[in-house]
Every structure is written in C-alpha cells, then in structure tokens.
Amino acid sequence: PALLDDVGLFLLTSADLVGYEKAFEHVENYAQVQNIWDPNDPAGSVWNRDANRLSRDELVRRRGDVLQAVFVFRTPAPGEYKATIKPRQDEVLRAMERWGLVGAGSNFRYPAAAGERADEGLPAEIPEGVGCGVAVKGPMEQPVPEIDLTVGGVDKGQALQRFFRHEKVKAYLNMGEDQEIDPEVHVAVFGDTRNDEPMFGPMGGSRAGLRVVMPHSKDETLRV
C-alpha cells in the first residue's frame, strides 16, 4: 500500500475544516476528540461529514487555502502505540525529509513570504520567519496519534506574542499604548501535547508565569 493510505488527513483552511476521503474514519475520530463533531448531534456540530469530505481533486484545487494540516493515525489499543504507531509516524517524517518538504534541505516557501500574493490583500510585511518552510510538530501520541504541519514561523507561541501586541487586547485590559503585556505577570498557559510547547517556552524574552501541563499528558517536553 502507499505510504499514507491508512493515514487520515485533516485540514484547517481559512474558511472551514475539511478532511481527505481516504482513511476518513481517522479524520472523524480526530474531529470527535477535538469536539468539532458530535455523532450524537451531527446537526449541531461544526463538522458536516458530507460537505467536509474532500476527494483528491477537491483537495488539490483548495491547496492554496490550507493553513494547517494534520496527519491522523489509527488510535492504538492500550500499550500498542510505541510498537506499531510510532514507527509509522517516523516513517512518514523520514519520507517528508527525503522529498524535501521539511528539514535542512527543504525548499518549500509559502507564497505570502515571497510577496507573491500581495494582490490578494495580504499585508506588505510578513513577520520575520513566517512562511519559510514547513513547521512539523510530532510525532504525538495524544489526544490521538498525529503529526501537525503548519506554515513555518506559525505556532501557538508566535500567535500569543502577536495577540499580546494587538491594540484591541491592550484596550480590553485597560492598558496604554506604551504599556506591554508581561508573560511572567499576566499570562497562564495550559497544554497537553508537543504543539503546545511554543507557549511554554520564551515569548518575547520571558515565559508565561503559570504553565500548566494537563493531568492526562504524557508529553515530557512540556515539563521542562
């Protein structure tokens, strides 16, 4: 079988949440775990299993609209992850390196970083480091086995730093334009997997004053 035949692909776009039709059962499991889809109340869910299920042609047509991709692997039986799923995740990551999608040899560049989409209303100045390569978070075991792919320079830590500087956020906190949000004093973060790691590290030179690892987490990278 092809490398990704049994791996689900979940996509966050600028307009909605979608999944590739192959191995779609893993995508729906991910949507359920993330509280995007409730099989007991499908009408009240963000997820629509028909509208959100894309064929290969539809996926290719919408490729320029993808903000984040998640490879979703089968949920293993208790104690099975390291023996069966982790090797599959490592195999996918090695293939991505061979294909030049990630790692030192990556030649991938997000169009916005090169100014190729300025006519679409994107900002003239892209934050430093954003759009250069693919950022990989994983392999992860929880909440389901996955590998996260985002645009280089885009992660939860970077997003929080931009959030801190937003004038509306400062106004809501009754802070003047010359005042700065200090992560050590004003910020608490909560996480359970490796994609939360950027929030737990330095943000603008300091770390969040309160950093909480969720009780169910097995990810030791957050406990440093």
Side-chain angles (χ1 to χ4, degrees):
L3 179 62
L4 297 176
D5 272 357
D6 61 343
V7 179
L9 180 58
F10 176 90
L11 301 169
L12 168 66
T13 78
S14 60
D16 54 9
L17 305 165
V18 297
Y20 182 36
E21 62 183 2
K22 280 194 174 182
F24 195 69
E25 66 274 15
H26 301 329
V27 174
E28 287 204 316
N29 179 52
Y30 180 82
Q32 185 174 351
V33 170
Q34 297 288 354
N35 295 315
I36 298 167
W37 177 58
D38 181 356
N40 297 316
D41 183 24
S45 302
V46 175
W47 187 262
N48 181 313
R49 69 187 317 166
D50 295 321
N52 297 90
R53 182 174 184 152
L54 301 187
S55 66
R56 184 181 186 280
D57 288 343
E58 291 171 320
L59 199 63
V60 171
R61 179 175 57 82
R62 297 188 57 182
R63 66 187 183 278
D65 196 31
V66 175
L67 304 176
Q68 179 180 6
V70 181
F71 286 131
V72 187
F73 297 76
R74 174 179 61 83
T75 299
E80 184 193 357
Y81 171 76
K82 289 184 179 179
T84 61
I85 305 301
K86 176 67 161 53
R88 290 283 290 113
Q89 292 175 311
D90 292 339
E91 184 182 8
V92 170
L93 288 173
R94 287 193 298 269
M96 292 180 66
E97 290 182 358
R98 290 197 304 271
W99 298 333
L101 298 175
V102 297
S106 173
N107 57 8
F108 176 86
R109 292 294 181 271
Y110 189 61
E116 297 173 14
R117 295 174 60 187
D119 59 335
E120 297 182 21
L122 291 170
E125 295 185 5
I126 304 297
E128 183 178 355
V130 172
C132 297
V134 176
V136 178
K137 288 297 179 183
M140 290 181 278
E141 180 181 359
Q142 297 174 315
V144 296
E146 64 185 271
I147 297 173
D148 287 8
L149 308 176
T150 60
V151 177
V154 177
D155 57 46
K156 294 182 180 181
Q158 291 284 351
L160 268 180
Q161 290 185 63
R162 291 192 282 273
F163 182 79
F164 297 159
R165 295 192 293 267
H166 199 286
E167 59 183 17
K168 290 185 178 179
V169 174
K170 289 187 176 183
Y172 181 82
L173 297 174
N174 295 317
M175 299 180 71
E177 292 183 4
D178 58 339
Q179 292 180 287
E180 297 293 336
I181 293 176
D182 182 353
E184 290 186 357
V185 176
H186 301 116
V187 178
V189 296
F190 299 76
D192 60 358
T193 62
R194 193 163 300 181
N195 62 5
D196 295 316
E197 186 178 350
M199 296 191 301
F200 281 66
M203 293 181 289
S206 58
R207 302 172 74 186
L210 179 62
R211 301 181 299 278
V212 179
V213 180
M214 303 304 288
H216 62 269
S217 175
K218 298 179 183 178
D219 199 319
E220 295 299 322
T221 62
L222 300 179
R223 303 182 189 277
V224 178

